[in-house]
Amino acid sequence: MTDHAFPDPAKLLADALFDLPEHPGAMAGGPARDTLTYHRVHRLHEQIAAPGPLLHQPAYLRELLELSAMVDPGVFHVLFLHHCMTLGAALDFGASDADLAELAAGRTIGAALMTEVGQGNSSADIRTEAVWDPAAGEFVLHTPDPAASKYPPNVGLPGIARLAVVSARIVVAGTGHGTGLFLVPLRDAAGPGRGVVITPRPPTGLLPLDYASVRFDRVRVPGSRWLRDGATISAAGEYHDPLDPPARTRRSQGMSRFAWGAVSTGLAAVARAGAAVALAHACRRRTAGRLDTELPVLAYRNQQRALFGALAAALAATVSARRATDLCWQLPTPQASDRGLPAASMRTAALIKVTADRLAEQAISRCRRACGAFGFFAENRLIDYQGLALAFNAAGGDNELILLDAAWAMATGADYEPPEIVAQFGSPLARTGWVGLFRTRERLLYDGLVEQLRTGAEQGLDPFAARNECTDSALRLAAAHAARITIEALDRDLRSVTGPYLDDAATDDLCLLWVLDEVAAHDGWFLTEGLLTADEVRTLPGRIDGACARLAAHVPALLDMLDIPPGIIRGALAGDDPTRDLTTGPTT
């Protein structure tokens, strides 16, 4: 596969097919928009003509996902579900060569059917059943009632061949064996498969796609399309699995790691794209104020805080996301006996997804507000970018639940060693003090949560009540842990992003802005714990302004550093003359 000449994703995505649609109906959600999205995806697959799964080419896949998110978040969403969630699970859990080849060719589009309407965002208690039929050597896939319908996969558009990874309870000889994964053809050009009931949902405004609910009415699934992952059923009908049912369910849920790597990548990319749009617009935009009518908007302190802060958040998300793909897209060797990632790595991957989502949402929101009324309109993509970030507050794992799960695991010492308190880290707001400050915060919050849980147990609280009382402390610990991971990554890797464009001082200022934003959001806690003095807290706004003023001298380099190829960002705000696109086009 390495001998294949992969085309440059930037050139593919700069094609006129990816221009903003002239017909207003193709901008909003609905069949016209969905048809365009899949036409774009099929064109990409035809031009790439990959001889195998793109997960075997992670650098290329990452660039494709980054740039597609900038151009069209809907296309990104379809691509990551196909190449990461579907092909990732197929590779990791042992699909047949024929199914891998069909998916890699890209004519059939992959999907992931995990959550059910009656369980909300949870995939922990799946009720769809896959019952083994020993006479036929097949599973019978069935939805027991409407509440067990799969919801909301984007599989509603007719005429598109779809092959989905479906989660279902494995039942053999009347006994449940946990949640397993199956490859199920949902539809082809002629319509849904036998027993597959697809009900399109009404269009949605943010991240519009062909969402649907799916029910299975005794659908026959060949044994070869069971992603068995080491489990077997003998000719006598005996089920054997190296994992017990709870572990099998956790292992199946672990396919989310392929999404976390992709989603973190896409979110970081749209944060950078949003920063590029807003920062360039601010440089061109002139004020009409009473004090000076010729100043660029970026001369104003509030604009500097918004846009340089957004840029710092986007770079923090980027550094974290690039770690996530290395971690999440690992594939087992054929001889591997221990498939999947260790629990600590899964926790880190999930927290990186949370971090990237929160940083992207923060960055894009700042950029959109800084652009004024222009930032509201979909043609400038900022609303689409923000829609992607909002969707992944819950999609791919609810952010708050991921934080809580991480905190409970850390509090019980499961695959976690809390950092030591750093007794002497110099000035906490200076370059040399950042990592020590964040490590110390995490340790103090860890000690506090452990003590709260111990006290609850001594008072006779049951485990649920004890944890429920500690929810706020748990969220603070997990968020602090995620922030510590982020600052360590920035300290280690940020220069690999900024190095060709910025000197060390400007790079440190970008990192400082992210640190100061994080500290300012929790300044009361830092003050109460004695990690910052009152004078240091009072200086936070001035330190932020100072870093912004210094970065203002580097705007051309900052824009270059975002490394966005020409033609990728479209819309009125992306051009040198924003009035051109706002005053031309179809008329009525």
Side-chain angles (χ1 to χ4, degrees):
M1 185 169 175
T2 54
D3 294 334
H4 180 70
F6 287 94
D8 183 355
K11 292 182 179 178
L12 299 181
L13 290 159
D15 187 273
L17 176 63
F18 295 90
D19 287 349
L20 295 168
E22 292 187 359
H23 190 283
M27 288 293 292
R33 172 68 176 261
D34 298 336
T35 299
L36 176 62
T37 296
Y38 286 99
H39 180 44
R40 288 171 167 177
V41 169
H42 277 126
R43 172 73 68 83
L44 288 172
H45 285 169
E46 289 169 0
Q47 293 177 315
I48 294 170
L54 287 183
L55 277 168
H56 290 313
Q57 302 293 323
Y60 185 84
L61 178 57
R62 184 172 67 192
E63 184 180 8
L64 176 66
L65 292 177
E66 285 181 335
L67 297 181
S68 66
M70 295 178 184
V71 169
D72 184 343
V75 168
F76 160 79
H77 197 272
V78 175
L79 287 174
F80 102 75
L81 285 171
H82 177 84
H83 291 284
C84 301
M85 285 293 278
T86 310
L87 266 163
L91 287 164
D92 196 23
F93 287 76
S96 69
D97 290 342
D99 284 332
L100 289 173
E102 179 182 353
L103 286 166
R107 289 181 292 275
T108 297
I109 303 297
L113 275 62
M114 306 296 287
T115 55
E116 298 174 351
V117 67
Q119 299 294 328
N121 204 50
S122 174
S123 58
D125 189 22
I126 294 301
R127 296 176 56 245
T128 301
E129 290 187 340
V131 181
W132 177 247
D133 178 353
E138 298 175 334
F139 285 92
V140 179
L141 192 65
H142 187 65
T143 303
D145 55 61
S149 300
K150 296 296 185 181
Y151 179 84
N154 54 299
V155 296
L157 187 67
I160 306 294
R162 307 303 298 267
L163 182 60
V165 176
V166 178
S167 63
R169 292 176 58 239
I170 301 171
V171 180
V172 180
T175 301
H177 296 281
T179 299
L181 302 178
F182 301 83
L183 276 177
V184 182
L186 299 182
R187 69 188 324 153
D188 57 22
R194 178 178 296 180
V196 179
V197 182
I198 301 174
T199 305
R201 308 312 306 158
T204 185
L206 296 178
L207 194 59
L209 284 166
D210 56 326
Y211 299 113
S213 62
V214 180
R215 290 186 291 113
F216 300 102
D217 184 8
R218 306 190 186 285
V219 174
R220 292 274 170 174
V221 180
S224 61
R225 279 188 156 160
W226 170 32
L227 300 179
R228 61 184 66 233
D229 190 45
T232 60
I233 300 174
S234 71
E238 295 177 342
Y239 181 87
H240 300 277
D241 193 340
L243 303 177
D244 62 24
R248 170 54 57 199
T249 296
R250 290 193 298 272
R251 168 75 173 126
S252 296
Q253 290 175 308
M255 68 174 280
S256 295
R257 69 184 176 96
F258 293 103
W260 295 334
V263 167
S264 299
T265 292
L267 290 167
V270 296
R272 294 198 310 278
V277 167
L279 191 57
H281 178 58
C283 291
R284 294 190 299 265
R285 184 177 164 200
R286 289 294 189 265
T287 61
R290 284 172 286 180
L291 298 180
D292 194 323
T293 60
E294 291 301 317
L295 282 176
V297 166
L298 197 57
Y300 286 80
R301 192 62 51 80
N302 64 322
Q303 286 276 321
Q304 290 180 359
R305 284 189 175 191
L307 296 178
F308 294 140
L311 184 60
L315 292 178
T318 298
V319 170
S320 296
R322 290 182 178 173
R323 181 186 179 194
T325 53
D326 293 340
L327 183 64
C328 296
W329 291 353
Q330 296 178 41
L331 292 170
T333 62
Q335 296 78 27
S337 58
D338 184 17
R339 304 167 80 89
L341 294 182
S345 297
M346 287 291 286
R347 180 174 63 239
T348 296
L351 288 173
I352 290 175
K353 176 263 183 184
V354 174
T355 298
D357 186 54
R358 290 185 165 187
L359 289 173
E361 186 178 351
Q362 176 193 92
I364 297 161
S365 180
R366 287 177 167 182
C367 292
R368 186 177 58 77
R369 291 197 307 269
C371 289
F374 287 170
F376 175 77
F377 292 98
E379 66 178 301
N380 292 310
R381 286 297 189 209
L382 294 174
I383 283 287
D384 283 350
Y385 296 162
Q386 194 162 16
L388 186 70
L390 288 170
F392 283 99
N393 287 178
D398 182 275
N399 286 351
E400 197 160 276
L401 292 180
I402 288 172
L403 291 170
L404 286 170
D405 285 345
W408 304 136
M410 292 189 291
T412 57
D415 301 300
Y416 170 72
E417 187 68 32
E420 295 294 330
I421 290 178
V422 181
Q424 299 291 331
F425 48 74
S427 173
L429 300 179
R431 175 76 172 77
T432 54
W434 299 339
V435 173
L437 179 66
F438 281 54
R439 287 176 178 170
T440 299
R441 174 175 63 152
E442 181 178 338
R443 180 54 187 257
L444 291 175
L445 289 170
Y446 166 81
D447 289 343
L449 178 58
V450 169
E451 178 61 21
Q452 276 187 278
L453 290 170
R454 184 188 64 79
T455 300
E458 290 176 351
Q459 293 173 347
L461 296 179
D462 63 66
F464 171 77
R467 288 190 175 188
N468 214 26
E469 289 290 321
C470 299
T471 297
D472 288 344
S473 297
L475 290 171
R476 283 196 295 268
L477 169 61
H481 177 64
R484 191 257 294 179
I485 291 172
T486 303
I487 189 58
E488 289 176 343
L490 287 171
D491 188 55
R492 182 182 62 248
D493 299 331
L494 184 57
R495 280 174 176 75
S496 68
V497 177
T498 65
Y501 306 99
L502 297 179
D503 59 25
D504 285 354
T507 298
D508 284 349
D509 276 330
L510 279 173
C511 196
L512 174 62
L513 272 184
W514 182 83
V515 169
L516 293 175
D517 266 353
E518 177 70 17
V519 170
H522 306 282
D523 55 7
W525 184 90
F526 283 106
L527 182 62
T528 301
E529 295 296 327
L531 297 179
L532 292 179
T533 67
D535 284 342
E536 285 170 329
V537 169
R538 291 189 191 100
T539 67
L540 289 174
R543 291 173 185 265
I544 291 172
D545 289 342
C548 288
R550 293 188 295 273
L551 287 170
H554 298 277
V555 169
L558 292 171
L559 287 168
D560 290 342
M561 178 194 62
L562 293 169
D563 196 25
I564 299 173
I568 290 297
I569 298 178
R570 275 101 157 163
L573 296 186
D576 293 331
D577 180 8
T579 64
R580 181 190 61 214
D581 290 336
L582 292 173
T583 56
T584 61
T587 60
T588 58

